[in-house]
Amino acid sequence: MKIFFGIVAIAIIGVIILGMAGCSAVVNTWNTLNAKFQATKGAESSYSAALNICTQKIKGVWEIANQYMKHESETFKGVAAARSGYTAAEDAFKQAQKTGASPKELTQRGDAVVQAALAFRIQIEAYPQLMAVQTSKDNIRNMQEAVEQINTAIGDWIFSIKSYNTYRGSAMPSIIGSFMTKFPSEIPYYEGKVKELNIDTLNPEKSK
């Protein structure tokens, strides 16, 4: 009889230990999934904030360019075309945000804004006369930094989604996560991000 009760006690202890281990696994999976999921949301917010700053910097450079450039020059036309391209790309991204577009569409449009910002930067840098004025130099430097910030932000955003997908697709999180409706099994994202800057492609005058 004592042996029987001993076996039962051991079995109960084993069940308790397994239950605690299972609860711990569930809690840890939830916490990790939540942290990675929120990281994707935070990365989107960081990109949006960097985008707003970049837009303001580009506006500042445009105002100076509009003042110092000869409007009939080909260079001015190139800068104007690049600015229009940036404005259109920014509007498309913000409209997609308002309509609740998928992360894949948002990251795709976000990358398009980065490419348009780089195109504007290239056009400005091709006009050395602007660099002769200290105010212009300061504004252009600030704009260059802002462009780099949105370029970094879109990369961080995509990386955070990849990190979430990698973890969510792992064995245990995949099993446990299937019961957690808050966390999607995968977050689609734009995978066609340009890795090398092709100046001729981004130059509005050469793409006509």
Side-chain angles (χ1 to χ4, degrees), residues 22-39:
C23 289
S24 178
V26 170
V27 170
N28 288 336
T29 300
W30 174 280
N31 289 340
T32 303
L33 279 173
N34 187 57
K36 289 183 176 294
F37 185 71
Q38 293 304 322

Side-chain angles (χ1 to χ4, degrees), residues 97-155:
Q97 271 191 320
K98 289 180 180 179
T99 57
S102 67
K104 184 174 183 178
E105 182 177 352
L106 288 175
T107 49
Q108 182 176 19
R109 292 190 181 280
D111 184 66
V113 177
V114 172
Q115 299 308 310
L118 288 168
F120 180 81
R121 172 179 165 178
I122 289 168
Q123 288 292 332
I124 287 294
E125 291 173 346
Y127 197 77
Q129 290 88 333
L130 287 176
M131 300 302 292
V133 183
Q134 186 60 44
T135 303
S136 297
K137 291 170 64 176
D138 293 341
N139 278 273
I140 291 173
R141 183 176 63 253
N142 291 335
M143 182 267 292
Q144 291 168 335
E145 292 175 355
V147 172
E148 289 303 320
Q149 287 174 356
I150 63 170
N151 191 25
T152 299
I154 190 69

